[in-house]
Amino acid sequence: MKKYRYIISVSLILLLVFSFQAAAQNNFFQNEDEHNNLRFGNEYIVIVVNQNQNSQGRFAVETTGGAPARENDDNKPLIYGRPNPWTSYTSLWINDQKYVFGGLTERRAGDGARYGEVIQEPTVEDNKIVTKTRFDNIVVEQILSIVKSSTTGLADSAQIQYRVTNEGQQEDKVGLRIMLDTMLGENDGAPFRLGEDTISTDKLYYDKQLDDFWQAFDSVSNPQVTSQGSFIGPDVSTPDRVYFSDWGSLADGVWDFDFNPGQDFMRKGEYEIDSAMAMYWVPEILEPGQTKTYITKYGLGGITIVPGILSLGVTSPAEVTLDDNNQTFPVVAYLENTSEINARNVSIQIDLPDGFNAEQVSRDLGDMEPGDISQITWNVEAEDRNNLPESMTYRVIVDADNTDSNEVERKVEFLGPPQLDANITLMEEVESIDGRLEPNPFRIQAEINNSGETSLYGVEAELILPPGLVTASSEISKKNVGILRNNEKININWAIEALRVDGTLPFALKVSGLNNYQKTIVEEINLPALKPLILLRETRGQRDEDYFAVDIVAANIAEAENIAFDLNYDSEKLLLTHISRGDFFVGDNNLLPFNRPDRSERGKVIFDQEFPFNKANGVIATVHFKLKEDEPGNISINNFEAVNGPGDSFEIEIRNILEEEN
């Protein structure tokens, strides 16, 4: 970007042209060009992704038709990338090591760095270009799509999203850097404009110093291209710090780089102005199975311009949601003296309708020399955020002692926040069979509905379970949803396992989104009752030509302190050989106390057994017989008695599967 301005007076230009909006929202195209780039775009912009092995996955952004009311911004680069994107790249900080996303490069930007393995080449999926790279246990998805600009209200911005997932078994520490080699048509050195700052030298901003968006253009009166990036908003992740610097320094440093505050954007090692910027999200712990999403936007910016001796351009979000997280919205005014004389005692003010206010609505700017550009920012707030109109219109007015006044009028629409609710149901019938739940694990489904006026971005849904319910093996409790658009419903499934619980069980669904959005929805599921049960069943795999074995199985008897009963069998048909303890009396690879049953009386085995504390399910004992005849005859439990810790009797159902099968 070169450090000069074009000073041209033109007739009224309105960049905010809402009449074109509906026609272009979903009018997407995709193709491959002669340089093997994958292109996905609409009538405003196109995202270009490099498919070659050299720098695979790197991207650029260009205009197609550009702003509807401007004819001189067609087919212009917003991010350098001709013939193949390579100058912009994204870096990962993983456990103190620095990596570059995508394929290896033979060019300066990221040369010699560490790289992962591209496991999905650039692919168009559901109107997004998706590329995936694996760095050992960390899988990173680059997801590029076209969304609305906050200031134009048109689908003329690229959403740049990275989803980082820890697929390993241990926590990892991960950070992200996105470096963009910005460009305005043929201009590779126009200054960045953030709030009231004009940035043409190396400068660092921390998250608390950032404004909602930054813009870049070469002239207020007649900008060739106006670009815009977003730092704060409902659809972006605010970076922890942002560097504006020269491209060469950022290209050479994969994470840390040669940063010199106050130095102009002269490309390192060369003699051309070449600006770029990098957004950093500091490393954070990523637990096994956890996913973190980073989102930013870059594309066209909307400025309402009225030319004149004092050319005035004003920008602000086209649509605003005011809530606890976003209590104000910015209005930025750009003022340029296009004349050949000094403009004396210049003043500017914002005229707000009733119910809205801002600090310092009037500003004295002093004298402005020919070619000077000033920029002023107001943060506008509503006196009653709970009673907003559908829209409001404000004016910005500029005056000077020796020039004509000028003014711009601009409209802002107000939208309500996302409104989420959920309906959670069992996906299959769960029954109590032989003292246990079937199926177990079982599946539940959450239908989440956004009935609000705005979309929720970076959505994650986390299932919070009560004691006794756990997620099934290989299942994760927190799932990434992405975008939940207004008036959209989505279904999310989980596999859940019950551990000795039944009845009505409460649990919570926690839905979170960008900018600290959180909502917890409490629901209940009903599981059939699990009654205490002892049953007799043939031991599978134990019967052969001469032998027969019976398991005495207990379920849901954690309350039991002592159980006594007689096991009766037909001694004419069966010869008792031996009795072995069941897994009820094995714990942590140790044998637990087991009272040997009394087998002194033919046709009867007497059990009188104390049970381990808080153990509910298992085999009490296996009784082994030798067959005297072809069939074993009747086997049954009699004289049953069970007592709990305080010594009180309680009921346990007795089932004999042997009889049921016969």
Side-chain angles (χ1 to χ4, degrees):
M1 296 182 180
K2 298 177 182 177
K3 296 172 60 180
Y4 55 80
R5 307 181 183 95
Y6 292 107
I7 311 299
I8 304 174
S9 296
V10 297
S11 60
L12 175 65
I13 302 175
L14 295 178
L15 298 186
L16 190 62
V17 182
F18 291 103
S19 60
F20 289 84
Q21 180 173 351
Q25 292 303 315
N26 298 309
N27 189 21
F28 297 120
F29 67 84
Q30 69 181 76
N31 55 47
E32 293 184 5
D33 63 22
E34 67 273 22
H35 303 291
N36 197 33
N37 296 313
L38 179 59
R39 298 169 62 86
F40 180 81
N42 62 9
E43 62 185 276
Y44 304 124
I45 65 167
V46 61
I47 300 170
V48 184
V49 180
N50 190 335
Q51 297 186 111
N52 299 312
Q53 293 301 310
N54 184 12
S55 305
Q56 188 177 58
R58 299 195 187 185
F59 65 90
V61 179
E62 302 178 357
T63 64
T64 50
R70 176 173 288 119
E71 296 181 357
N72 55 3
D73 68 347
D74 295 359
N75 304 310
K76 303 291 186 182
L78 298 175
I79 295 176
Y80 183 79
R82 297 178 177 177
N84 298 105
W86 66 275
T87 59
S88 300
Y89 66 94
T90 297
S91 311
L92 280 300
W93 191 106
I94 304 174
N95 299 328
D96 287 325
Q97 299 293 333
K98 287 81 175 178
Y99 301 86
V100 172
F101 179 87
L104 292 166
T105 187
E106 300 172 358
R107 308 293 291 271
R108 176 177 178 179
D111 182 31
R114 293 182 177 89
Y115 286 78
E117 174 192 3
V118 177
I119 59 175
Q120 179 177 328
E121 297 182 350
T123 308
V124 176
E125 300 177 358
D126 190 27
N127 290 331
K128 303 176 180 67
I129 302 180
V130 180
T131 311
K132 294 183 183 179
T133 301
R134 177 182 291 278
F135 305 89
D136 195 12
N137 294 325
I138 300 297
V139 173
V140 183
E141 294 177 81
Q142 175 184 275
I143 306 169
L144 307 173
S145 58
I146 296 177
V147 297
K148 287 183 181 181
S149 163
S150 63
T151 58
T152 69
L154 303 177
D156 56 12
S157 290
Q159 184 188 78
I160 305 163
Q161 179 179 176
Y162 290 90
R163 293 184 61 220
V164 182
T165 302
N166 180 1
E167 293 189 352
Q169 300 302 313
Q170 298 184 5
E171 67 180 27
D172 289 296
K173 197 171 185 179
V174 181
L176 186 82
R177 183 187 92 163
I178 302 175
M179 188 271 279
L180 301 180
D181 182 16
T182 56
M183 191 173 187
L184 299 181
E186 304 303 320
N187 192 336
D188 210 8
F192 301 98
R193 301 182 184 278
L194 177 65
E196 297 187 352
D197 294 346
T198 300
I199 307 165
S200 56
T201 61
D202 281 18
K203 194 162 185 177
L204 164 64
Y205 290 83
Y206 291 97
D207 54 353
K208 301 301 183 183
Q209 300 171 295
L210 296 172
D211 286 86
D212 287 30
F213 54 84
W214 60 270
Q215 294 184 328
F217 50 83
D218 47 14
S219 168
V220 173
S221 57
N222 185 30
Q224 301 303 298
V225 183
T226 300
S227 67
Q228 176 179 301
S230 296
F231 290 143
I232 301 172
D235 54 352
V236 294
S237 311
T238 301
D240 295 296
R241 61 180 188 269
V242 176
Y243 291 88
F244 296 94
S245 187
D246 73 280
W247 173 82
S249 296
L250 284 169
D252 294 342
V254 172
W255 189 268
D256 301 314
F257 69 100
D258 185 14
F259 179 65
N260 300 288
Q263 178 176 291
D264 63 24
F265 293 151
M266 188 72 68
R267 186 188 305 145
K268 183 180 179 181
E270 302 181 36
Y271 300 98
E272 293 184 13
I273 295 295
D274 191 352
S275 60
M277 53 92 66
M279 294 165 281
Y280 286 74
W281 288 266
V282 299
E284 295 182 353
I285 294 296
L286 204 60
E287 300 290 345
Q290 184 179 358
T291 296
K292 185 170 179 60
T293 301
Y294 308 85
I295 302 177
T296 192
K297 290 197 311 185
Y298 178 73
L300 292 174
I303 308 175
T304 305
I305 298 174
V306 176
I309 294 176
L310 293 177
S311 286
L312 179 60
V314 174
T315 186
S316 59
E319 298 175 340
V320 170
T321 297
L322 295 180
D323 53 25
D324 291 340
N325 294 321
N326 301 287
Q327 301 183 20
T328 64
F329 66 90
V331 172
V332 182
Y334 303 112
L335 182 62
E336 179 182 7
N337 182 0
T338 64
S339 70
E340 298 180 355
I341 62 172
N342 287 350
R344 296 195 301 271
N345 295 324
V346 179
S347 64
I348 192 169
Q349 69 175 17
I350 186 170
D351 181 18
L352 296 168
D354 293 341
F356 296 88
N357 56 66
E359 293 185 358
Q360 289 186 282
V361 293
S362 297
R363 311 275 185 93
D364 292 324
L365 305 181
D367 295 344
M368 292 184 65
E369 296 182 0
D372 278 355
I373 296 178
S374 295
Q375 54 198 76
I376 303 92
T377 297
W378 294 274
N379 289 312
V380 178
E381 63 179 353
E383 296 174 359
D384 183 3
R385 295 201 308 271
N386 296 319
N387 190 27
L388 292 170
E390 292 185 1
S391 65
M392 63 89 90
T393 300
Y394 64 86
R395 292 188 305 154
V396 174
I397 306 163
V398 60
D399 287 296
D401 287 350
N402 59 335
T403 68
D404 294 334
S405 62
N406 202 353
E407 68 177 61
V408 166
E409 192 174 84
R410 192 171 169 98
K411 182 180 179 181
V412 175
E413 294 185 353
F414 296 103
L415 300 177
Q419 296 288 339
L420 302 189
D421 56 69
N423 179 34
I424 304 174
T425 56
L426 288 168
M427 297 183 66
E428 51 210 334
E429 184 179 359
V430 180
E431 300 178 287
S432 176
I433 300 176
D434 295 341
R436 66 185 185 275
L437 295 177
E438 290 287 349
N440 191 23
F442 52 88
R443 294 177 300 154
I444 66 171
Q445 182 176 88
E447 181 187 74
I448 306 176
N449 174 40
N450 179 7
S451 59
E453 297 180 353
T454 51
S455 301
L456 183 62
Y457 294 83
V459 181
E460 292 184 332
E462 180 179 8
L463 199 62
I464 302 173
L465 299 170
L469 291 182
V470 296
T471 53
S473 175
S474 76
E475 180 66 276
I476 56 175
S477 59
K478 181 183 287 187
K479 298 196 175 183
N480 186 282
V481 177
I483 302 174
L484 184 56
R485 294 178 173 82
N486 56 308
N487 297 319
E488 181 182 18
K489 293 181 181 179
I490 59 169
N491 293 323
I492 309 174
N493 302 333
W494 284 271
I496 304 299
E497 183 177 1
L499 308 176
R500 304 198 310 272
V501 293
D502 56 19
T504 300
L505 300 172
F507 61 95
L509 181 67
K510 181 180 177 183
V511 183
S512 58
L514 293 186
N515 301 303
N516 302 315
Y517 179 93
Q518 285 191 356
K519 182 169 184 178
T520 300
I521 301 165
V522 178
E523 285 282 342
E524 293 180 340
I525 58 173
N526 293 301
L527 299 179
L530 294 175
K531 297 179 180 179
L533 172 70
I534 288 181
L535 58 86
L536 299 179
R537 71 183 181 197
E538 181 181 348
T539 302
R540 295 181 180 177
Q542 295 297 314
R543 185 172 184 174
D544 58 26
E545 192 172 314
D546 297 315
Y547 289 90
F548 178 75
V550 174
D551 282 338
I552 305 172
V553 182
N556 312 309
I557 64 166
E559 186 181 351
E561 178 79 11
N562 184 278
I563 294 178
F565 59 89
D566 298 340
L567 179 72
N568 295 98
Y569 62 93
D570 189 340
S571 60
E572 298 297 324
K573 296 183 177 182
L574 294 172
L575 174 65
L576 178 63
T577 60
H578 67 283
I579 301 171
S580 58
R581 76 173 67 208
D583 58 13
F584 229 109
F585 300 95
V586 179
D588 297 328
N589 297 319
N590 295 316
L591 297 179
L592 303 177
F594 177 70
N595 298 332
R596 288 295 173 183
D598 181 356
R599 48 183 292 184
S600 60
E601 184 177 345
R602 288 187 64 190
K604 180 186 295 187
V605 181
I606 301 173
F607 287 83
D608 189 356
Q609 184 64 54
E610 292 185 1
F611 280 77
F613 173 73
N614 201 33
K615 198 164 185 181
N617 302 296
V619 177
I620 297 174
T622 302
V623 184
H624 302 266
F625 300 97
K626 184 174 182 180
L627 287 166
K628 296 180 179 181
E629 298 183 9
D630 292 340
E631 296 298 328
N634 293 328
I635 301 175
S636 62
I637 290 177
N638 302 100
N639 302 322
F640 186 88
E641 183 179 357
V643 295
N644 57 20
D648 298 326
S649 297
F650 66 97
E651 292 186 2
I652 298 180
E653 180 185 353
I654 307 297
R655 283 191 57 201
N656 192 338
I657 294 180
L658 299 174
E659 292 181 354
E660 294 173 4
E661 291 176 346
N662 294 329

